[in-house]
Amino acid sequence: MKIFIIFGTRPEVIKLFPVIRELRKYKNVSVKICATAQHREMLDQFLKFFNIEPDYDLNIMEKNQTPSYVASQVFLKLEPILRKEKPDYIVIEGDTTTVAASALCAFYNKIKVAHVEAGLRTYDKWQPFPEEINRRVVTTVADLHFAPTKRAKENLLKEGVDEKKIYVTGNPVVDSLLYIANLDFNSFDFDLKKLNLSLESDTKKLILVTAHRRENFGEPLKNICYSLKTITEIYKDKIWIVYPVHLNPNVWESVHEILSGIENIKLIPPVDYFSLIYLLKNSYFVMTDSGGIQEEAPSFGKPVLVLRDVTERPEGIEAGVAKLVGTQKERIVNEAIKLIEDEKEYNKMAKAINPYGDGKAGERIARILASTSGVEIGF
């Protein structure tokens, strides 16, 4: 059985690593890997960390690239590879433009598609953009849907997907998170050591911030930054903020224009995943417009303030581990104040149960994929 795994960004490889690791345990399964490099630097950091060497690297990233550019390059460069390899399945994860274009390219070449993290929805095509439409496109052509939660499965059923093709597996991001969290942090030379960013010695509470979504470019991102500035002014002696800033000029320039030079705000370059987990473990709470970190932070009991108006991960909101706060300054500041001042409010979120999985999603996905070959599969 031939499995062809495609990813383009750091979150994709983080979530596909457990699947790759488990699939390689099967004797009768051949695994090949293709990186589109939709994001180059951040992808390479993680490939190196986990010693994953792609069989193919499309190397498509360009400065200020658009979704249309990414999609066109994936189509042009991926199709000849798929025709050469003729895999039984491509495996893709999530909702990037790499994922949508790869799914369509496989469909055009009559190759089956397995979609990890299927069924996430906001039902607003502009939020997140372009991810909401990307994942809906994948759903229409996928042959296997690996839903992280029951809610995601329900979304797929409402859209007419055959229940026999849907499997609730948990999210493999939890697998990767637990794997990394169990490593000896002191034995690795990770980004934060190079930045000389000492966390244990600081008596202030650390707030971790990640904000880079396309729909927040412009005024929403500026509102977020002014909110952070206000919070640090109110609690100058109590908190500090670490903000790994995305390299996209729309993010980098706005953030540095507003937040550079503030004593208790550390603006740092994007960090490797190991460093991100280290920051998560040492944080008090998280403020983010990202998707994956909404699933990762609850594994460490860290409350999440989601800097968006909608989320495709409502399970976290319902479980009480996360709260939607939007991008308006007053609301963001007030919700942050609650977590800093009100211990009861903080504990209510910090002690809620993580709804995203038990760390065995990769194992389940690999087993299901291997079983579709129709032949006896052994280790």
Side-chain angles (χ1 to χ4, degrees):
M1 186 182 188
K2 296 178 73 173
I3 302 288
F4 198 78
I5 295 176
I6 305 169
F7 48 70
T9 67
R10 183 177 73 172
E12 290 167 69
V13 74
I14 287 168
K15 294 176 183 181
L16 287 174
F17 165 70
V19 180
I20 294 168
R21 182 181 58 188
E22 293 297 326
L23 279 172
R24 284 179 167 164
K25 293 178 181 179
Y26 290 92
K27 292 178 181 177
N28 298 348
V29 176
S30 166
V31 179
K32 290 203 172 179
I33 295 170
C34 176
T36 69
Q38 177 178 332
H39 293 165
R40 181 79 269 173
E41 296 94 337
M42 290 188 281
L43 176 67
D44 287 348
Q45 287 174 348
F46 196 77
L47 292 176
K48 182 179 179 182
F49 180 77
F50 275 114
N51 197 27
I52 297 175
E53 190 170 337
D55 298 282
Y56 298 94
D57 190 330
L58 307 189
N59 196 29
I60 66 173
M61 182 175 176
E62 282 198 359
K63 191 175 181 180
N64 287 327
Q65 64 194 10
T66 64
S68 300
Y69 168 81
V70 172
S72 66
Q73 291 300 301
V74 171
F75 278 120
L76 285 171
K77 295 185 176 183
L78 180 61
E79 185 164 63
I81 297 171
L82 292 180
R83 287 181 175 176
K84 173 188 170 186
E85 291 290 343
K86 297 183 174 62
D88 296 292
Y89 276 94
I90 69 158
V91 179
I92 48 179
E93 185 284 325
D95 48 27
T96 67
T97 302
T98 280
V99 171
S102 297
L104 278 173
C105 193
F107 168 70
Y108 292 154
N109 287 277
K110 298 186 177 180
I111 296 167
K112 291 181 179 178
V113 175
H115 186 204
V116 176
E117 200 181 56
L120 276 62
R121 297 290 187 272
T122 64
Y123 295 107
D124 178 343
K125 75 177 187 177
W126 301 113
Q127 296 192 65
F129 173 84
E131 288 86 355
E132 177 69 8
I133 293 304
N134 284 343
R135 53 190 171 226
R136 291 198 219 177
V137 167
V138 178
T139 295
T140 62
V141 300
D143 300 275
L144 292 175
H145 307 259
F146 297 117
T149 64
K150 289 181 180 178
R151 169 64 71 89
K153 177 181 178 178
E154 289 167 7
N155 290 341
L156 295 169
L157 290 173
K158 281 192 293 185
E159 294 170 20
V161 176
D162 184 350
E163 187 170 12
K164 293 177 183 177
K165 296 179 179 180
I166 307 171
Y167 299 87
V168 178
T169 60
N171 198 311
V173 73
V174 179
D175 305 29
S176 285
L177 182 73
L178 297 178
Y179 176 85
I180 294 171
N182 286 326
L183 297 175
D184 179 8
F185 278 59
N186 293 320
S187 64
F188 291 91
D189 182 25
F190 53 102
D191 282 1
L192 294 185
K193 284 186 180 178
K194 300 168 195 170
L195 292 165
N196 195 27
L197 193 63
S198 176
L199 304 186
E200 294 91 342
S201 62
D202 203 299
T203 57
K204 298 176 184 176
K205 293 173 179 176
L206 167 64
I207 300 172
L208 174 61
V209 176
T210 66
H212 62 264
R213 293 205 83 85
R214 190 179 295 268
E215 66 267 25
N216 279 346
F217 289 176
E219 202 63 30
L221 183 58
K222 289 180 180 179
N223 287 340
I224 291 168
C225 290
Y226 284 120
S227 302
L228 301 178
K229 186 176 181 181
T230 298
I231 294 164
T232 57
E233 288 170 350
I234 297 171
Y235 297 104
K236 189 172 183 179
D237 299 322
K238 286 188 176 181
I239 65 106
W240 64 305
I241 288 171
V242 175
Y243 185 169
V245 185
H246 200 285
L247 298 175
N248 187 308
N250 293 292
V251 180
W252 182 269
E253 291 170 10
S254 291
V255 171
H256 280 79
E257 180 184 341
I258 298 169
L259 299 178
S260 283
I262 297 176
E263 185 180 348
N264 49 339
I265 296 181
K266 305 292 184 184
L267 303 179
I268 61 176
V271 294
D272 61 66
Y273 193 61
F274 198 84
S275 298
L276 183 67
I277 299 310
Y278 186 69
L279 284 167
L280 265 176
K281 287 186 73 173
N282 286 277
S283 69
Y284 189 62
F285 66 87
V286 178
M287 302 172 72
T288 185
D289 66 4
S290 175
I293 207 165
Q294 293 177 51
E295 301 156 343
E296 293 154 348
S299 293
F300 294 119
K302 307 300 180 180
V304 183
L305 298 183
V306 183
L307 304 169
R308 293 163 61 180
D309 295 316
V310 294
T311 179
E312 62 277 29
R313 292 168 171 84
E315 296 89 348
I317 309 299
E318 292 164 0
V321 299
K323 184 182 289 187
L324 276 175
V325 300
T327 58
Q328 294 303 310
K329 179 183 172 183
E330 185 178 359
R331 175 86 191 278
I332 295 171
V333 171
N334 287 341
E335 294 296 341
I337 287 172
K338 282 183 190 176
L339 290 178
I340 296 167
E341 296 276 1
D342 191 335
E343 188 176 347
K344 185 177 178 181
E345 183 73 17
Y346 179 87
N347 287 333
K348 188 167 68 175
M349 296 182 71
K351 295 180 179 180
I353 296 171
N354 182 4
Y356 294 111
D358 58 2
K360 296 182 179 179
E363 182 183 326
R364 295 186 186 101
I365 292 166
R367 185 173 66 246
I368 293 161
L369 275 166
S371 70
T372 64
S373 67
V375 297
E376 187 176 344
I377 300 292
F379 287 101

